[in-house]
Amino acid sequence: MVEDAPGRHLFSFGIITDTHVNQCEDETNSPFESGRLSNRRMRHVIRELNRRDLAFVVHVGDIVHPVPAIPGLYEEAAARFHEVFGELRHPSYLTPGNHDVGDKPNDWAPAALVHEDHLALWERHFGALFQAFDHGGCHFVVLNAQVINSGMAEEERQRAWLEADLAASDGRRIFIFIHYPPCLMEADEEENYDNIGEPGRSWLLGLMERHGVEALFAGHVHNFWFLRLGGTDCYLLPSTAFVRLDYSEMLRGEPGEETEFGRNDRPKLGYAVCHVHEDCHLLEMARSWGKTADAGSEPAAGPRLAALHPRQNLHGGFGFDMRHNWMEVVEIPPTGGLDEFDRKVVRNDYALMALWEMAVRRVRVPVRDLMARDNVARMEVLRSHGLSFTLMSFGAPTARQAARLEEHADVFSAWDVAVNRDALDRDLAAVAGHARGTGLPLFLSRLRSIDEQRAEAGKYYHSINQGFLASDEDELFDIAARPPLDGVIAGIVFRLALDMPVWDTVERASLLAGRLGLEARIHMRMAGVNPARSVMDDALVASRLAEAVAAAAAFGNATVFADTFTDFDRGYFPRAGVLDRLCNPRPGFHVVRHMHAALAMAGERIEPAGAAEARIIRMTADGRPLALVLPHADGSPVSLPWDGGEATLVDLVSGSLTPLAAAAKHRIASPAAAPQLVMVGTLP
């Protein structure tokens, strides 16, 4: 079982934001063409929410696009919203946004500011400006952020109400919904267009800390961010309608004119579902991919895999090397749209969002993340959300690195150290000493020499390769028996090159490590041996990742780390990861996500069931047959390795579940582009 698995599930609720509904189905007062899709994009999301078992749904603001200062259009947009939102079959609560009641007070932007007349319009069309409700033993608070710092009578009315409401709710689990987030990254950051200014921010944060607010959900920024303020988890959520253009500067690829320079970056649109458990909450991000639905059309149907959170992943033996700065802090330049006189500072959290979506628990980070204090603090927070960190380094640590490691050893679950064989005796004693001092499990790797690389590649390239091979058995037995490592070394890091079979390599590493009484770590290279050769084959990457996730689940003493999370689309060894340089998913992302979800559904105990064949890997899940069918160009049929029993086919890219017909359930077409999983059992 997962050590930090959540307690019993109590209920779930949905959160949507920034729907920006127009006054007509295809008409908008926005200068951007994608604005015409807002109504139909919200309709699609409403139908997605209707497929779920939810206690309620909260909209956190910017319900309509025309602001209340535009006579006539606001009322028409409100009517259109109610027409679409009326399809929702769950109880709902609405939060006012700046497009709904006017912008927060500011004197650097010519915005239509919050006004008594605008508040009255909201109340007429949408109801209460702030409110609270209870469900399942929890307390939920909906706030009007726009009046904070306004000096309006409504601000004082909300202030007095909130202080009394939270005081009366002490000791309960409290969740807050608000449009403007208190801040984007730090509690003491400068005010900008997108956060709450002082003194209102400190007042709100002080109340949250005093009364132990568990989580806050905000909109307005049209992007995903996660931060912890005091003891409160704060989630800044994406829009259903469009992406805020200014924040496209977080990314390292060209957004392209076809995306309206980032505004119509469809993979970043979506909504959220919060799953409340008896001891925690788990947030599920649901991408809507910019899909639309027309009035009167039929909603999509068909069973799909349920999302899995890292804390729910029963088979978390697969992870990634985070080679790019996955906690990158970016300064957003002012372009004259919403901010003009200073830069905003934000963290790019799309890597974190992808890790959560894929239910990846294991993350291997370089020493740079250990040496950056903000990164260490960030990892400390993320451990409570299911991530487990392995430190990766070379040789004996410097005095400064050793001091930092001793100070923050509790952040990490393991330490992978590569050594040069020529400096083995010198480095092993130092590394072993630090491992004993910190109590961290030590996993040993070594560099491949020039001669070894020449033998493997047939030609020498200036490149760095690490990891033992199964053929290094004698060397491994010699190293493991050395006095400095006696009782310290927890495992061996093996090398899995692109031209090596995944399943067989993991199996051999697992067996060899087992004979040593150790665990196996497999360093899975996504690049070939030639630094000039590009490996951007999504089908190849997806297939190898599926095999790696399966092997990590089936061989209990093995962990696999894939060395490419985000694309390397320039430089040495260009290769595809699971995210492109816009931090958008590639097919491999979907395969990892759906493999984890499918294996969790299949059973708690995954075991190998014979040697791997050309296109099929046989396993069992709690004793029942399970088969991973790998791509094959000609799509010729594959015979499944069992007879009888109902079976389910899992499309590992879409996550769809299909019962196999009786006549075909023992023989299926081999997929030509992406792997599939076949499990015995009925659909959930």
Side-chain angles (χ1 to χ4, degrees):
M1 292 295 292
V2 181
E3 288 184 6
D4 61 344
R8 182 173 58 92
H9 175 253
L10 301 178
F11 61 92
S12 301
F13 61 88
I15 316 105
I16 63 173
T17 188
D18 294 276
T19 52
H20 288 266
V21 169
N22 297 305
Q23 62 273 18
C24 297
E25 184 82 345
D26 294 299
E27 181 182 322
T28 180
N29 62 323
S30 166
F32 298 95
E33 281 299 308
S34 58
R36 300 181 186 277
L37 302 173
S38 294
N39 297 24
R40 283 177 286 161
R41 282 178 168 172
M42 189 182 86
R43 187 180 290 111
H44 168 78
V45 169
I46 294 300
R47 292 177 181 179
E48 285 280 300
L49 291 168
N50 283 342
R51 289 165 55 98
R52 293 173 174 266
D53 181 13
L54 302 175
F56 56 86
V57 172
V58 181
H59 193 309
V60 290
D62 277 6
I63 286 172
V64 298
H65 191 71
V67 296
I70 303 177
L73 294 185
Y74 181 90
E75 289 85 347
E76 292 179 27
R80 300 294 83 72
F81 170 80
H82 286 299
E83 288 173 3
V84 179
F85 203 66
E87 293 186 20
L88 184 69
R89 66 177 181 87
H90 308 295
S92 60
Y93 303 88
L94 305 180
T95 309
N98 58 299
H99 271 252
D100 307 317
V101 298
D103 279 44
K104 69 175 185 177
N106 73 75
D107 48 6
W108 68 82
L113 302 183
V114 63
H115 188 275
E116 286 86 352
D117 293 344
H118 303 160
L119 299 179
L121 271 176
W122 168 273
E123 290 181 304
R124 187 183 314 149
H125 291 283
F126 302 110
L129 286 158
F130 54 86
Q131 59 184 307
F133 60 96
D134 297 323
H135 184 86
C138 301
H139 188 63
F140 300 90
V141 180
V142 177
L143 295 179
N144 179 1
Q146 286 66 230
V147 298
I148 297 175
N149 298 320
S150 70
M152 300 170 66
E154 189 66 22
E155 178 185 13
E156 183 54 37
R157 191 167 77 91
Q158 178 175 257
R159 174 191 291 268
W161 171 84
L162 180 61
E163 290 174 351
D165 179 80
L166 292 181
S169 303
D170 262 345
R172 304 178 68 187
R173 298 175 68 180
I174 302 171
F175 298 79
I176 288 179
F177 305 94
I178 195 168
H179 186 63
Y180 286 116
C183 53
L184 301 181
M185 204 171 87
E186 303 287 351
D188 61 351
E189 69 192 20
E190 294 294 322
E191 183 180 1
N192 56 55
Y193 182 76
D194 293 326
N195 57 19
I196 297 175
E198 294 291 4
R201 183 196 306 168
S202 292
W203 163 76
L204 179 59
L205 293 181
L207 280 177
M208 289 164 53
E209 185 167 7
R210 192 176 313 133
H211 298 289
V213 172
E214 182 171 332
L216 175 145
F217 303 91
H220 185 63
V221 292
H222 293 228
N223 281 277
F224 171 79
W225 282 293
F226 166 74
L227 53 151
R228 181 170 288 172
L229 299 174
T232 303
D233 287 332
C234 299
Y235 303 95
L236 284 54
L237 302 177
S239 163
T240 65
F242 60 87
V243 183
R244 281 274 300 277
L245 280 161
D246 43 350
Y247 292 116
S248 295
E249 288 288 345
M250 286 191 299
L251 309 170
R252 289 292 174 262
E254 183 180 348
E257 188 172 356
E258 70 280 1
T259 71
E260 292 185 309
F261 303 102
R263 187 179 179 93
N264 199 27
D265 191 356
R266 290 185 295 253
K268 295 186 176 66
L269 303 178
Y271 60 98
V273 175
C274 184
H275 304 285
V276 180
H277 292 250
E278 57 188 357
D279 59 346
C280 67
H281 67 271
L282 305 177
L283 190 77
E284 173 193 343
M285 294 306 304
R287 300 179 194 251
S288 61
W289 304 97
K291 292 180 181 177
T292 61
D294 294 321
S297 63
E298 290 296 320
R304 293 175 298 183
L305 285 167
L308 198 68
H309 189 275
R311 288 188 60 180
Q312 298 170 305
N313 191 350
L314 302 176
H315 310 291
F318 173 84
F320 285 99
D321 284 347
M322 306 308 282
R323 295 183 172 235
H324 290 89
N325 184 356
W326 66 289
M327 296 180 278
E328 184 177 19
V329 174
V330 182
E331 294 187 357
I332 304 299
T335 61
L338 302 174
D339 286 286
E340 176 64 8
F341 303 104
D342 202 359
R343 293 188 291 271
K344 293 179 284 196
V345 179
V346 296
R347 182 189 294 107
N348 182 355
D349 272 347
Y350 279 106
L352 171 63
M353 177 174 157
L355 288 171
W356 280 353
E357 288 176 287
M358 290 186 291
V360 168
R361 295 180 62 84
R362 297 182 185 266
V363 177
R364 188 159 58 182
V365 300
V367 173
R368 175 65 56 192
D369 284 344
L370 168 67
M371 303 309 291
R373 291 196 177 275
D374 287 345
N375 289 11
V376 168
R378 180 73 167 166
M379 291 189 290
E380 286 177 338
V381 169
L382 295 178
R383 286 177 64 223
S384 65
H385 284 266
L387 297 190
S388 173
F389 297 100
T390 293
L391 180 66
M392 173 178 60
S393 66
F394 172 75
T398 66
R400 185 164 167 260
Q401 290 170 348
R404 290 283 290 165
L405 184 57
E406 184 175 346
E407 181 183 0
H408 297 292
D410 60 336
V411 173
F412 302 98
S413 61
W415 183 17
D416 288 7
V417 180
V419 294
N420 189 319
R421 187 160 54 180
D422 295 337
L424 204 61
D425 293 329
R426 181 197 68 196
D427 287 345
L428 280 186
V431 168
H434 290 301
R436 283 195 180 91
T438 61
L440 280 174
L442 177 65
F443 290 80
L444 188 66
S445 182
R446 77 161 173 84
L447 296 187
R448 309 302 297 174
S449 69
I450 291 175
D451 290 339
E452 288 171 320
Q453 291 190 59
R454 183 184 295 119
E456 292 171 18
K459 182 177 181 180
Y460 173 67
Y461 301 106
H462 190 288
S463 59
I464 300 172
N465 289 315
Q466 63 157 309
F468 290 93
L469 300 176
S471 57
D472 297 325
E473 182 173 351
D474 292 341
E475 180 184 357
L476 282 171
F477 273 93
D478 174 65
I479 292 174
R482 295 189 181 207
L485 294 178
D486 187 29
V488 175
I489 186 169
I492 301 296
V493 179
F494 292 88
R495 179 165 178 258
L496 172 54
L498 186 66
D499 60 352
M500 296 166 64
V502 176
W503 182 270
D504 290 346
T505 301
V506 176
E507 182 178 29
R508 292 181 66 193
S510 171
L511 291 172
L512 177 53
R515 287 202 297 273
L516 290 164
L518 302 173
E519 294 181 37
R521 291 285 176 97
I522 292 86
H523 175 78
M524 180 178 175
R525 284 181 59 88
M526 306 297 286
V529 295
N530 185 342
R533 180 195 166 201
S534 171
V535 182
M536 290 291 178
D537 184 341
D538 278 324
L540 173 65
V541 171
S543 179
R544 290 179 68 80
L545 288 173
E547 209 172 343
V549 174
F555 298 103
N557 68 334
T559 300
V560 181
F561 283 104
D563 79 347
T564 309
F565 183 76
T566 304
D567 285 0
F568 286 93
D569 61 355
R570 62 207 77 182
Y572 300 109
F573 299 105
R575 58 199 189 264
V578 293
L579 297 184
D580 63 22
R581 294 304 289 269
L582 293 177
C583 291
N584 287 333
R586 282 185 169 276
F589 163 92
H590 301 289
V591 167
V592 172
R593 177 187 181 191
H594 294 136
M595 275 292 295
H596 279 143
L599 291 176
M601 184 176 74
E604 186 174 337
R605 192 178 74 258
I606 307 296
E607 295 178 320
E613 301 170 16
R615 285 171 286 156
I616 191 165
I617 291 174
R618 294 185 289 165
M619 298 168 279
T620 61
D622 291 344
R624 295 177 301 173
L626 183 69
L628 175 64
V629 183
L630 299 174
H632 194 269
D634 64 7
S636 56
V638 172
S639 295
L640 299 180
W642 64 78
D643 294 318
E646 303 223 358
T648 299
L649 179 69
V650 183
D651 185 312
L652 291 174
V653 173
S654 71
S656 64
L657 303 172
T658 306
L660 291 179
K665 63 186 175 186
H666 307 307
R667 192 167 172 80
I668 65 169
S670 174
Q676 296 176 333
L677 198 69
V678 184
M679 64 180 75
V680 165
T682 57
L683 294 176

